[in-house]
């Protein structure tokens, strides 16, 4: 069995060596490697020529820039002589046994497509794809198809897949040319037509997260409004394909992605220019009004997605941002019977359209609640312990000073006994952090310190209905003054602030 590898190359000189090296190390070598240089301006073709000396099956084709990878991929597909096709992205890498592992399943099951697991990576680390992990997409090796495993719709890149060429040719499957997200269209069409898809749970594909802001991938440019327009077009083209093939009855599977795509773009609403913001809701909602609501039965994190869809359809940008960013927005939060914090949406019921899709409550995502208790300045003398700093619960900046509160908690590290003291607070713009100043009578620490017991300092931060006990952490530039004989302020290796008993030398000096 022969595998043809197709590389659409455009300005990837910095990553191309790693990609080609992973091809050169395959335990089952590719029959041919067709690299289509799409008018690169960074000398990528010179890197390819260097590798051609080592890989005799490498064929280099140069052409004018076409604007998107679809054209180069189609050209490579037209020239490919292999039985199976792999569309490899030239900034990524593959495991040495990717092809050998895939072929053993191809021989056994004869699938139209083999899909392998992915790890994302950058120069520092590797990590799994969150959605794949959440939905257990790669939990077991199995032969399936889109209609049995609808979660396949969440994996729409071509590079971690190997296709039977006869399947592509028989169904006249090609990439759209000159369009971004052409891979979303191509893979969706393939999944709808493939009778047999084999899921290989082994991780063989490594998807690079580019770190250079001047050379981001198309996927990493989702914060640009152009991406929204392109995505609407792609979904319209997929709908046209489904209509032509009599598959509109299964459109809801594709609409799972439509819901997720446009709610994710809405999370970037405040990054768009003002004129793009005005266009966003009319453009997106003109498409979403036609989706099949059966899609909501299969979306990951259904409460969050339904709430965001509700905000999106009702043009509620402020509320939408409140569920996506700890620094924007405010929504009512309450504590449920299990002690978890939830958004309370009951006040919205009956006031807008799409009520049936809005959950009554939704857990507040953990990433929205970064909390901090930071010390900026402190003095400890024989009369008092003075503290100055700020506290915050990231998602819930207080609306006004009356919604904010901070108390200083002194905790005996040995006995866990606590003593609490109120602080004077003020709001610190623009994030509305809660600034505080507190003065504690030093005599209240005297008995603990005399027994050589360490005192740890916490803050109880209150913002609206939420209250958090947080360890007080010293800012790197915090100023600490020690002037007494009882003990001294100390910062642990983790940055936490404590009062430690005075050494004999300190007592003598005082």
């Amino acid at each position: 069995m022969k595998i043809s590898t197709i590389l659409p190359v455009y300005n990837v000189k910095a990553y191309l060596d790693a990609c080609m090296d992973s091809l050169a190390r395959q335990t089952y070598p590719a029959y041919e490697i067709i690299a289509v240089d799409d008018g690169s301006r960074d000398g990528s073709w010179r890197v390819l020529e260097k590798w051609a000396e080592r890989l005799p099956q490498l064929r280099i084709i140069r052409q004018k820039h076409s604007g998107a990878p679809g054209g180069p991929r189609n050209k490579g597909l037209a020239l490919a002589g292999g039985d199976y096709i792999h569309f490899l992205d030239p900034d990524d890498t593959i495991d040495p046994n990717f092809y050998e592992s895939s072929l053993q399943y191809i021989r056994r099951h004869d699938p139209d497509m083999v899909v392998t697991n992915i790890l994302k990576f950058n120069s520092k680390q590797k990590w799994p794809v969150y959605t794949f992990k959440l939905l257990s997409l790669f939990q077991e090796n199995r032969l399936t198809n889109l209609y049995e495993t609808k979660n396949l719709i969440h994996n729409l890149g071509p590079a971690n897949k190997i296709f039977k060429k006869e399947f592509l040719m028989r169904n006249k499957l090609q990439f759209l040319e000159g369009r971004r997200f052409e891979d979303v269209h191509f893979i969706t069409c393939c999944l709808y037509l493939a009778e047999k898809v084999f899921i290989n749970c082994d991780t063989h594909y490594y998807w690079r997260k580019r770190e250079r802001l001047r050379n981001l991938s198309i996927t990493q440019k989702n914060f640009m409004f152009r991406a929204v327009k392109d995505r609407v077009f792609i979904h319209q083209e997929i709908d046209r394909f489904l209509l032509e093939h009599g598959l509109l009855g299964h459109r809801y599977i594709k609409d799972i992605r439509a819901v997720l795509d446009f709610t994710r773009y809405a999370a970037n609403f405040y990054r768009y220019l003002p004129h793009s913001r005005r266009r966003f809701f009319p453009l997106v909602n003109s498409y979403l009004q036609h989706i099949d609501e059966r899609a909501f039965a299969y979306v990951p994190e259904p409460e969050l997605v339904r709430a965001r869809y509700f905000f999106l359809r009702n043009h509620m940008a402020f509320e939408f941002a409140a569920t996506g960013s700890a620094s924007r927005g405010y929504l009512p939060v309450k504590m449920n019977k299990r002690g978890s914090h939830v958004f309370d949406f009951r006040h919205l019921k009956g006031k807008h359209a799409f009520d049936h899709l809005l959950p009554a409550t939704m857990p507040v995502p953990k990433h929205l609640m970064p909390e901090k208790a930071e010390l900026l300045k402190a003095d400890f003398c024989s009369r008092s312990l003075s503290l100055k700093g700020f506290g915050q619960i990231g998602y819930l900046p207080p609306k006004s000073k009356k919604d904010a509160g901070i108390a200083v908690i002194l905790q005996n590290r040995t006995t866990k006994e606590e003593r609490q003291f109120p602080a004077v607070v003020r709001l610190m713009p623009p994030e509305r952090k809660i600034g505080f100043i507190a003065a504690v009578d030093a005599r209240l620490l005297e008995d603990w310190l005399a027994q050589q017991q360490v005192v740890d300092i916490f803050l109880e931060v209150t913002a609206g209905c939420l209250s958090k006990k947080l360890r007080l952490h010293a800012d790197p530039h915090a100023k600490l003054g020690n002037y007494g004989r009882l003990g001294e302020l100390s910062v642990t290796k983790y940055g936490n602030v404590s009062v430690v008993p005075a050494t004999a030398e300190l007592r003598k000096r005082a």
Side-chain angles (χ1 to χ4, degrees), residues 7 43 199 207 225 237 271 282 302 367 372-373 443 462 482 510:
L7 268 72
I199 296 178
W207 178 11
F225 185 69
E237 289 297 304
R271 300 175 72 181
H367 72 273
K372 186 177 289 188
R443 290 175 295 180
T462 300
N482 290 302

Side-chain angles (χ1 to χ4, degrees), residues 165-381:
K165 185 182 178 184
E166 187 272 332
F167 163 72
L168 299 179
M169 297 296 102
R170 170 166 38 90
N171 291 289
K172 300 179 181 179
L173 290 164
Q174 286 194 320
F175 292 88
L176 298 176
E177 298 193 11
R179 289 283 182 174
R180 301 200 305 172
F181 306 121
E182 79 296 331
D183 51 350
V184 172
H185 175 272
F186 178 79
I187 298 300
T188 302
C189 296
C190 287
L191 287 172
Y192 267 99
L193 296 182
E195 295 179 5
K196 294 193 292 184
V197 177
F198 189 84
I199 296 178
N200 181 3
C201 295
D202 294 332
T203 300
H204 290 301
Y205 197 86
Y206 301 95
W207 178 11
R208 184 186 300 274
K209 186 82 171 180
R210 296 190 194 179
E211 298 166 90
R212 299 181 182 183
L213 294 178
R214 293 185 178 182
N215 193 20
L216 297 178
S217 66
I218 290 174
T219 305
Q220 290 176 272
K221 294 180 180 178
N222 286 348
F223 61 89
M224 299 173 63
F225 185 69
R226 178 188 168 187
V228 182
K229 296 186 292 182
D230 290 343
R231 204 70 162 200
V232 169
F233 173 82
I234 289 298
H235 277 287
Q236 290 170 335
E237 289 297 304
I238 295 171
D239 292 340
R240 187 173 294 112
F241 172 88
L242 296 180
L243 176 63
E244 292 172 354
H245 288 78
L247 294 170
L248 281 180
H250 298 282
R251 177 185 165 172
Y252 73 96
I253 303 176
K254 182 232 81 170
D255 284 343
I256 298 169
R257 282 306 303 252
V259 170
L260 294 178
D261 286 345
F262 296 118
T263 52
R264 287 168 179 168
Y265 285 126
N268 293 310
F269 183 82
Y270 287 102
R271 300 175 72 181
Y272 303 142
L273 295 173
H275 70 278
S276 296
R277 293 181 199 172
R278 291 191 293 269
R279 297 173 58 195
F280 179 81
F281 287 110
L283 172 64
V284 169
N285 283 324
S286 66
Y287 181 79
L288 289 178
Q289 64 183 335
H290 301 297
I291 70 161
D292 188 331
E293 289 185 358
R294 285 183 292 171
F296 287 96
Y298 302 97
V299 294
E301 301 177 295
E303 296 96 344
L304 178 61
V305 172
R306 292 204 312 272
R308 289 180 169 179
Y309 185 80
F310 177 88
F311 298 140
L312 176 57
R313 297 291 278 124
N314 288 296
H315 297 218
M316 299 166 72
F318 183 81
E319 288 79 1
F320 196 104
T323 63
S325 170
S327 62
R328 292 185 181 274
Y330 178 93
L331 288 172
V333 174
K334 71 173 186 177
M335 186 176 291
N336 63 17
K337 294 180 180 179
R338 288 177 287 182
S340 300
H341 295 104
V342 296
F343 291 124
D344 186 355
F345 296 133
R346 290 173 298 178
H347 67 291
L348 296 173
K349 290 283 188 177
K351 297 181 181 180
H352 305 277
F354 317 104
D355 267 6
H356 63 291
L357 291 176
L358 183 69
T361 62
M362 183 196 87
V364 179
K366 292 182 179 179
H367 72 273
L368 293 185
M369 300 184 68
E371 52 230 5
K372 186 177 289 188
E374 202 83 355
L375 180 68
L376 302 176
K377 183 179 180 181
D379 291 317
F380 187 39
C381 63

